[in-house]
Amino acid sequence: MRIKKYSNLVLFLVIAFLLPFVCVIAQTIISNEFICFILYGIQAAAPTISAIAVVYMNGEGNTFWANMFHKKHLWRAVTLPVMIAGVTMFLAKTIFCFWAGREFTLGSLPAVQFIMIAWALLAEEIGWRGYLDLWLRRSGVCKGRIPFIVGGIWCLWHYHYFLQRGIQVPVWLFCISCMIESYIYSFLMEDTDNNIVSAMVYHFAWNLSLHVFAINPSDNNGDISPYVITALIEAIVLIVYWWIRRGRSAATVQIER
């Protein structure tokens, strides 16, 4: 039984990491733009595809979906991630423009790019926060270490975007950002009773805000400052989130006494 459990994890990671590589290779061979667009979508959805494949191979599909999607805290699972991502990016852009003496402008968002961003609602989080996070919790991994582990794997998984030069920020900055965001994802999930919608919406809202507020270096003549400021604000959000949750836990313990 234990061997099967770890074999499921290995299979999930192998598919999640290998499928994007296969798609990248295929895109270099195939010249048809529509097929390449579909392949790009498949590589982005590799974590979700992998998770679905593994759970159905083990006959756990119905349970998997039932535990992941529920109505508890649904309103909070939609609004809170949008507020956190939107306010974070807005503040980062405002601070950058004030500091650099630049005019506050918004980025352009072509229809095709919006479709790709909207795909983030389904592409990754069913795999990362829905399957991997749950697997680690059920395996008895320390609660505080799970976001660090998931964040590290999630960060490494983006290798194929770096191969395609789809990520313009330095690797070190991207890794730091991933680790901070992984803990925010974890707090959102806990705050909504593990409603995967919170993670899905946060991923979408973060990617959308990144382009709407033109945070990427490619939108700022290669300047990484807006991205650095965003990471710093995310760290502050994380600390505030942790402080609030700690206060709630202390209050709960006091009431029980």
Side-chain angles (χ1 to χ4, degrees), residues 81-97 104-107 169 177 181 184-185 202-216 219-220 225-234 237:
V82 172
M83 288 175 56
I84 292 175
V87 172
T88 296
M89 299 288 183
F90 173 78
L91 286 176
K93 185 59 179 288
T94 302
I95 293 170
F96 169 71
C97 290
F104 189 106
T105 58
L106 299 177
V169 298
S177 179
E181 288 162 31
I184 294 177
Y185 277 111
Y202 185 67
H203 202 133
F204 164 74
W206 195 94
N207 287 352
L208 181 64
S209 300
L210 189 74
H211 291 279
V212 168
F213 294 109
I215 300 297
N216 267 326
D219 299 314
N220 298 284
S225 298
Y227 206 100
V228 172
I229 296 170
T230 298
L232 290 173
I233 295 175
E234 284 179 325
V237 169

Side-chain angles (χ1 to χ4, degrees), residues 28-50:
T28 62
I29 299 173
I30 299 171
S31 58
N32 186 285
E33 291 186 4
F34 178 75
I35 295 177
C36 286
F37 182 71
I38 297 299
L39 288 170
Y40 190 84
I42 292 173
Q43 79 180 63
T48 290
I49 293 171
S50 180

Side-chain angles (χ1 to χ4, degrees), residues 51-68:
I52 293 173
V54 172
V55 296
Y56 274 98
M57 283 176 60
N58 289 279
E60 301 172 350
N62 293 335
T63 305
F64 179 70
W65 295 116
N67 292 335
M68 193 177 313

Side-chain angles (χ1 to χ4, degrees), residues 2 14 33 42 55 69 86 108 133 139 151 166 174 185 201 205 217 220-222 225 252 257:
R2 191 176 182 85
V14 167
E33 291 186 4
I42 292 173
V55 296
F69 291 98
S108 60
D133 187 283
S139 299
F174 182 79
Y185 277 111
V201 172
N220 298 284
N221 298 316
S225 298
T252 302
R257 288 180 179 178

Side-chain angles (χ1 to χ4, degrees), residues 27-243:
Q27 288 173 66
T28 62
I29 299 173
I30 299 171
S31 58
N32 186 285
E33 291 186 4
F34 178 75
I35 295 177
C36 286
F37 182 71
I38 297 299
L39 288 170
Y40 190 84
I42 292 173
Q43 79 180 63
T48 290
I49 293 171
S50 180
I52 293 173
V54 172
V55 296
Y56 274 98
M57 283 176 60
N58 289 279
E60 301 172 350
N62 293 335
T63 305
F64 179 70
W65 295 116
N67 292 335
M68 193 177 313
F69 291 98
H70 51 78
K71 295 180 180 180
K72 285 185 178 180
H73 311 298
L74 184 59
W75 178 246
R76 190 189 305 173
V78 173
T79 57
L80 189 57
V82 172
M83 288 175 56
I84 292 175
V87 172
T88 296
M89 299 288 183
F90 173 78
L91 286 176
K93 185 59 179 288
T94 302
I95 293 170
F96 169 71
C97 290
F98 177 80
W99 173 66
R102 297 189 185 182
E103 182 182 356
F104 189 106
T105 58
L106 299 177
S108 60
L109 193 65
V112 173
Q113 193 170 36
F114 178 79
I115 292 172
M116 293 168 64
I117 293 172
W119 183 231
L121 280 166
L122 299 172
E124 293 187 40
E125 295 312 321
I126 291 175
W128 298 134
R129 257 51 67 163
Y131 180 83
L132 181 59
D133 187 283
L134 180 62
W135 188 96
L136 292 170
R137 277 189 279 127
R138 287 178 173 175
S139 299
V141 177
C142 177
K143 186 178 178 180
R145 295 176 185 174
I146 292 177
F148 184 83
I149 296 171
V150 175
I153 294 174
W154 179 45
C155 177
L156 292 173
W157 174 82
H158 284 83
Y159 75 92
H160 52 100
Y161 291 127
F162 281 99
L163 288 176
Q164 293 178 307
R165 297 183 179 179
I167 297 177
Q168 293 82 33
V169 298
V171 175
W172 64 268
L173 178 57
F174 182 79
C175 290
I176 292 173
S177 179
C178 278
M179 299 308 296
I180 295 172
E181 288 162 31
S182 185
Y183 277 91
I184 294 177
Y185 277 111
S186 179
F187 284 159
L188 284 170
M189 289 285 286
E190 288 185 23
D191 211 30
T192 57
D193 198 16
N194 294 318
N195 193 330
I196 193 65
V197 172
S198 62
M200 294 166 64
V201 172
Y202 185 67
H203 202 133
F204 164 74
W206 195 94
N207 287 352
L208 181 64
S209 300
L210 189 74
H211 291 279
V212 168
F213 294 109
I215 300 297
N216 267 326
S218 58
D219 299 314
N220 298 284
N221 298 316
D223 194 338
I224 66 171
S225 298
Y227 206 100
V228 172
I229 296 170
T230 298
L232 290 173
I233 295 175
E234 284 179 325
I236 295 172
V237 169
L238 182 61
I239 293 170
V240 171
Y241 220 143
W242 172 81
W243 183 76

